Amino acid sequence: MHATIQAFHDAVLAKDDDAILPLFAEDIRFMPPTYWKTWTGRAAVAAVLGHVNAVFTDFSYRRVLGEGRDWMLEFQCKVDGLDAVGVDLITLNDDGLVQEFEVVMRPYKTVGALREAMMARIAKDPSFATFREAIS
């Protein structure tokens, strides 16, 4: 497994948000499963994923597939007691940092619960307003 993917995998499982930030390219693009928008920028994406990490419970990786620059990490978790499965689709740049990160998840009901939980958390985080320009 690529060293960046292994470090990301380990940091997510340890809920170590500080270890995730240096794995991202400055201009990383993150596509969440909850709406059709893209977050751009290391700090903004790290902030979003920090909140996600707090919302997901019973998180584990089921499979890791890939080689070179393209990776898929299949996961399972719960959101507000609802089961979910999903995949992190990750593309690394030439420096081995995460350049693109897309999450696909199911079922629909759990994705809705994730969106509600994220909106509630973000509304209570005054520092999050600084990232509004990171959404496109």
Side-chain angles (χ1 to χ4, degrees):
M1 186 176 337
H2 191 282
T4 299
I5 298 300
Q6 185 67 60
F8 179 81
H9 177 278
D10 295 346
V12 169
L13 292 178
K15 293 190 175 263
D16 185 353
D17 298 335
D18 294 332
I20 293 173
L21 184 69
L23 303 174
F24 293 161
E26 276 298 326
D27 58 347
I28 183 175
R29 296 183 44 195
F30 173 67
M31 286 88 31
T34 52
Y35 50 88
W36 194 255
K37 297 277 185 179
T38 299
W39 290 86
T40 303
R42 179 186 280 173
V45 172
V48 171
L49 293 182
H51 283 292
V52 170
N53 213 6
V55 170
F56 284 170
T57 59
D58 299 331
F59 185 92
S60 64
Y61 283 113
R62 294 170 20 161
R63 289 187 290 172
V64 177
L65 304 169
E67 63 180 338
R69 294 173 56 154
D70 295 312
W71 293 86
M72 183 205 75
L73 289 73
E74 180 185 28
F75 64 86
Q76 63 187 38
C77 65
K78 290 185 184 287
V79 176
D80 198 24
L82 299 170
D83 291 316
V85 295
V87 292
D88 294 337
L89 302 171
I90 297 173
T91 300
L92 304 176
N93 66 14
D94 291 337
D95 296 324
L97 298 175
V98 178
Q99 184 66 60
E100 294 200 7
F101 184 174
E102 183 173 5
V103 179
V104 181
M105 215 170 113
R106 70 180 189 92
Y108 179 77
K109 184 175 182 175
T110 307
V111 174
L114 173 62
R115 181 176 179 157
E116 288 177 23
M118 288 294 292
M119 296 304 282
R121 287 187 62 82
I122 290 168
K124 295 176 187 172
D125 181 357
S127 68
F128 208 82
T130 62
F131 300 120
R132 289 192 191 276
E133 72 280 357
I135 303 172
S136 61

